[in-house]
């Protein structure tokens, strides 16, 4: 196995574990955390919004994690930063799994939940940029989108594991889920982290980092020379990040709520199927990115996402497994085309001496704005519209338009020396 393949495989395993931990929390926030940690809210809608607010804390912590670990990764090394982020995420996720609920310790429970979610956010804020760079900077010329796709594979793989875990737990019934079952997916994370750590420690440092002159203060250099790239990078990602959470976390809560009435089991299984579609499609889309241009491919799929937005929400409430699974799968195929090429797209927007910091700021800034707020905003807008889904559809279409504009004008940077494999 050559260095490029080994780095891509390690990026996939590491990001799978990190995203599993992150999505386990997102799934629990949509299904049960409102009852377990906010039982005294004035209404079910307020309790759900409070649950989504704790979920959003992780996104607001992600830019800080990007700054801290971006500095570390640009100064000390990509590999060292990734080991620390994996350990942080695993410890925080395990702690959520053993956390007492509001019924046991009162208001201290949601406070501790927020703290642990903040630590998760710090870890994921530093993880994505480093994993992407280890894959892309080891890749041969002309294959960077494909190899970067392995880091992107961790997202659907982690989502598939997370929703699949909760799907299995729901087989024991609602009482089991609320009493003990919700803890199992969090506690299992400890085993996954140990496996990921063993794999990550065997990967060599990025060859691009090894030959790059180091910046004394990467964050200052980014804002001095690449601030436009940061802003445009944020603008390319509203669908790849925020649209994803509208179509998973918000959709799960909306579809299983009283106004629509789909079963939790059906939607969880549908989301698991959609994650499988993305897992299968991502590398193929990344291959298309190398063949036709990563930006062009992303724009094609942004248009497809906008077109599918109305039928996606229209089938909810049909109680048809075929229609719901079919639309969730088609929509995930479209959104995976907006996400899969982003590893290469963002990497080429920054020079190597500030690349970890730059792509982390762009990605995690978008995560804070679009990922953290999208389910909360969509919930508030839909509630204001009396339960109608059209505000969520309009929000998603607007995100697509912004992404297309920013992709069209984003800068490019090419490393002067080809990567050695």
């Amino acid at each position: 196995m050559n260095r490029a393949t080994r780095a891509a495989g390690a990026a996939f395993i590491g990001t799978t574990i990190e995203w599993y931990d992150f999505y386990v929390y997102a799934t629990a926030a949509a299904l049960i955390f409102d009852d377990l940690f906010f039982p005294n809210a004035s209404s079910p809608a307020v309790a759900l919004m409070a649950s989504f607010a704790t979920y959003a804390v992780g996104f607001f912590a992600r830019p800080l994690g990007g700054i801290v670990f971006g500095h570390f990764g640009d100064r000390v090394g990509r590999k060292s930063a990734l080991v620390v982020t994996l350990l942080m995420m695993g410890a925080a996720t395990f702690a959520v799994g053993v956390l007492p609920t509001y019924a046991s310790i009162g208001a201290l429970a949601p406070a501790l939940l927020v703290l642990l979610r903040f630590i998760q956010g710090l870890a994921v804020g530093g993880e994505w940029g480093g994993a992407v760079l280890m894959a892309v900077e080891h890749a041969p010329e002309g294959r960077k989108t494909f190899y970067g796709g392995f880091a992107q594979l961790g997202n659907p793989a982690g989502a598939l594991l997370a929703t699949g875990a909760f799907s299995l737990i729901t087989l024991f019934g609602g009482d089991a889920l609320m009493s003990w079952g919700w803890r199992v997916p969090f506690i299992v994370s400890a085993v996954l982290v140990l496996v990921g750590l063993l794999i990550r420690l065997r990967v060599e440092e990025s060859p691009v980092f090894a030959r790059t002159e180091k910046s004394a203060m990467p964050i200052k250099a980014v804002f001095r020379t690449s601030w436009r790239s940061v802003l445009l990078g944020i603008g390319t990602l509203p669908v790849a990040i925020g649209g994803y959470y509208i179509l998973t976390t918000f959709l799960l809560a909306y579809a299983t709520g009283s106004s629509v009435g789909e079963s939790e089991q059906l939607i969880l299984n549908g989301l698991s199927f959609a994650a499988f579609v993305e897992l299968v499609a991502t590398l193929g889309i990344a291959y298309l990115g190398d063949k036709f241009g990563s930006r062009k491919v992303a724009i094609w799929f942004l248009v497809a996402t906008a077109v599918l937005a109305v039928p996606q929400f229209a089938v909810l409430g049909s109680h048809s497994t075929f229609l719901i699974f079919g639309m969730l799968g088609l929509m995930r195929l479209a959104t995976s085309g907006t996400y899969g090429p982003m590893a290469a797209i963002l990497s080429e927007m920054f020079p190597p001496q500030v690349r970890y910091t730059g792509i982390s700021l762009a990605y995690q800034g978008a995560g804070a704005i679009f990922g953290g707020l999208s389910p909360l905003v969509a919930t508030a807008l839909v509630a204001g519209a009396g339960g109608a889904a059209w505000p969520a559809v309009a929000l998603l279409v607007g995100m697509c338009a912004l992404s297309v504009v920013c992709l069209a004008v984003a800068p490019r940077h090419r490393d002067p020396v080809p990567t050695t494999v």
Side-chain angles (χ1 to χ4, degrees), residues 25-39:
Y25 188 103
T27 306
L31 290 178
I32 55 175
F33 277 179
D34 51 345
D35 292 327
L36 292 176
F37 291 95
F38 303 98

Side-chain angles (χ1 to χ4, degrees), residues 37-111:
F37 291 95
F38 303 98
N40 294 334
S42 58
S43 71
V46 171
L48 181 60
M49 290 179 69
S51 180
F52 279 156
T54 69
Y55 157 84
V57 166
F59 286 92
F60 296 136
R62 281 165 61 169
L64 179 58
I67 292 171
V68 172
F69 289 104
H71 175 89
F72 192 48
D74 280 329
R75 289 285 301 158
V76 179
R78 320 311 200 194
K79 177 179 175 179
S80 300
L82 290 174
V83 168
V84 176
T85 60
L86 186 61
L87 290 173
M88 281 180 60
M89 177 62 89
T93 305
F94 179 83
V96 172
V98 297
L99 184 66
T101 64
Y102 190 95
S104 300
I105 59 175
L108 183 59

